[in-house]
Amino acid sequence: MSETPPTWEEIAQVGDIERWVVAQLQQRGLLDEVADPAKLSGNALRQFKARREEERKVRKLLRQQAWAAYRKAHLVHLGADVFHHDTPDQDRYDLPDPETRRETNGLPALKDVQALAKALDLTIPQLRWLAFHREVDSGSHYQYWTIPKRDGGQRLISSPKPTLKKTQRWILRQMAERLPVHGAAHGFLPGRSIFSNAAVHAGARLLVKLDIRNFYPTVTWRRVKGLFRKGGYGEQVATVLALLCTEAPRELLQLDGKPYHVASGPRALPQGAPTSPALSNTVCLRLDCRLSGLSQKLGFRYTRYADDLTFSWHEHSPPPLGRLLRCARLILQTEGFVPHPEKTRILRRSRRQTVTGLVVNAAPDHSSPARVPRLKIRELRAALHNRLRGKPGKAGETLAQLRGWVAYLHMTDPDKAKPFLAQLNQLEARGADE
């Protein structure tokens, strides 16, 4: 039994594992179906028993080799509470014409997980390793840390490690970025930005801002799976894609000196994965359609930047504010999201109105429709001035951060950014310390 282990293709040509095992035993002369042990005695009976014992050992080893070959070519199992089967088939959730849907969106045709693994340049065991769900795991495909929120809480960041990140970037380029997105969405999309999001609401008489609580954790892996099903993929491929793009929030615990990552919630879009923004935009397609339709019916304008929803009223008549809030919250809840009651803001034009950090009050000089707050411009001016005079920057302030703020200002008002850009070039020419 020292020959090269079989491949699954070789086994499948015979039919299945049991037929292949029988064929191998026949080739070795170990399958004796003619002799009747009841009619044997003496040396013949001892030889028959020895042959049967050898057959039993070889049969066991052949089955082990066959199942090892099967596991190399099939995912088999993807974790507790994850339904997966290795034979692609059709069910009632399949689209009537999935090929047309994939072609419409420019998505690759992947008939099974073998085709998906080949497209991702992964072996089946590697694909299973990346997609497998465990409630308790000794390792993780992510690196975790927290950053402070504006409300004083902590936001969990889950950054995928290199192998998974490479896989997610392929899914992002070939699939997630090609899925349909509503025109009201402005976050993480080519040609759209916080500026395009804010400019829609410039000069509003009334501004209404809503926030979705726990936005990414609300988009669970089953919702992502449904997204890929609607994109034209079958149950098998959609399940694996959803697992690759989601992860459960985890706590690091120690047991007998060994670290364990314990799931503290359901798998969902992780904050920090390259696929999460694009997938969340597509998941919100129906939400955006309904909120946009509501806004048009009531006379408001509507945009969404990630989990920030903004409505603006530009008419001189009194706005139907109560109806807007009631209907918007109801739509959010029926679409599987939870509005954040503490982050609802109603801003009239008598006070400063900001959308995604930019001021949208009508400017007296009819300049940019959305502007960087004057306080931030003064801080930038002071920082560059001090640097030019040879003074050190504030604690934690780097030249890269100042470059970012100048670019931020240039996006909203290129003329106002010119002198700051000239000062920044002076600093770079001097070789100023970061």
Side-chain angles (χ1 to χ4, degrees), residues 115-128:
L116 174 61
K118 184 177 180 181
L120 294 172
D121 195 23
L122 296 171
T123 64
I124 289 294
Q126 288 174 327
L127 184 60
R128 180 170 55 243

Side-chain angles (χ1 to χ4, degrees), residues 215-231:
F215 181 51
Y216 280 166
T218 306
V219 185
T220 61
W221 81 272
R222 285 183 173 84
R223 296 182 73 173
V224 177
K225 175 181 171 181
L227 191 68
F228 287 116
R229 294 300 303 269
K230 291 179 181 177

Side-chain angles (χ1 to χ4, degrees), residues 35-74:
D36 184 357
K39 297 179 180 180
L40 300 177
S41 62
N43 190 45
L45 181 60
R46 285 192 293 271
Q47 289 179 353
F48 177 82
K49 289 182 178 179
R51 199 163 54 248
R52 276 296 174 88
E53 180 62 22
E54 179 67 14
E55 176 198 335
R56 185 189 65 81
K57 292 180 180 179
V58 174
R59 184 186 292 269
K60 180 180 179 181
L61 186 57
L62 287 171
R63 282 177 173 167
Q64 290 176 347
Q65 290 180 346
W67 279 109
Y70 185 90
R71 285 181 59 82
K72 284 185 178 180
H74 300 81

Side-chain angles (χ1 to χ4, degrees), residues 158-400:
S158 305
S159 177
K161 293 178 181 178
T163 303
L164 181 57
K165 182 176 287 188
K166 178 183 176 183
T167 299
Q168 289 179 344
R169 283 177 173 164
W170 186 93
I171 296 173
L172 173 66
R173 292 191 300 270
Q174 302 299 325
M175 297 180 181
E177 289 183 339
R178 302 180 183 187
L179 293 171
V181 176
H182 195 273
H186 287 261
F188 318 106
L189 291 167
R192 305 184 196 178
S193 63
I194 59 172
F195 177 74
S196 66
N197 180 64
V200 172
H201 307 286
R205 301 179 67 85
L206 179 76
L207 205 63
V208 181
K209 299 166 65 176
L210 301 179
D211 186 87
I212 300 174
R213 173 180 281 172
N214 298 326
F215 181 51
Y216 280 166
T218 306
V219 185
T220 61
W221 81 272
R222 285 183 173 84
R223 296 182 73 173
V224 177
K225 175 181 171 181
L227 191 68
F228 287 116
R229 294 300 303 269
K230 291 179 181 177
Y233 292 107
E235 171 79 18
Q236 189 193 44
V237 172
T239 298
V240 178
L241 287 171
L243 291 171
L244 290 172
C245 296
T246 58
E247 170 62 337
R250 297 187 180 270
E251 295 182 11
L252 181 60
L253 302 178
Q254 297 284 337
L255 181 63
D256 295 332
K258 296 181 180 179
Y260 292 93
H261 298 268
V262 181
S264 58
R267 292 183 75 99
L269 292 180
Q271 181 101 30
T275 46
S276 294
L279 290 175
S280 67
N281 276 336
T282 304
V283 166
C284 289
L285 176 60
R286 194 168 69 172
L287 171 70
D288 291 334
C289 285
R290 295 182 67 183
L291 290 177
S292 181
L294 171 67
S295 299
Q296 291 177 10
K297 182 178 180 179
L298 298 181
F300 286 87
R301 298 180 187 177
Y302 163 72
T303 62
R304 181 182 58 81
Y305 192 96
D307 58 349
D308 293 325
L309 316 178
T310 307
F311 305 84
S312 59
W313 180 261
H314 297 256
E315 306 298 328
H316 291 279
S317 57
L321 182 58
R323 187 178 177 187
L324 172 72
L325 292 173
R326 286 193 303 272
C327 293
R329 287 167 180 161
L330 180 60
I331 290 173
L332 281 168
Q333 291 169 355
T334 56
E335 290 297 324
F337 296 101
V338 180
H340 202 307
E342 298 177 1
K343 291 190 176 181
T344 299
R345 297 286 184 270
I346 300 172
L347 306 173
R348 302 185 184 278
R349 63 176 180 176
S350 57
R351 57 182 296 190
R352 191 178 73 169
Q353 298 171 322
T354 59
V355 177
T356 47
L358 298 175
V359 179
V360 296
N361 296 83
D365 56 356
H366 302 288
S367 59
S368 177
R371 307 174 300 285
V372 176
R374 282 178 292 182
L375 177 61
K376 181 55 65 177
I377 295 176
R378 286 198 294 266
E379 290 176 352
L380 177 61
R381 181 182 291 111
L384 290 172
H385 179 72
N386 288 336
R387 290 282 187 127
L388 287 169
R389 294 183 63 185
K391 295 182 180 180
K394 295 180 180 179
E397 180 187 86
T398 66
L399 199 56

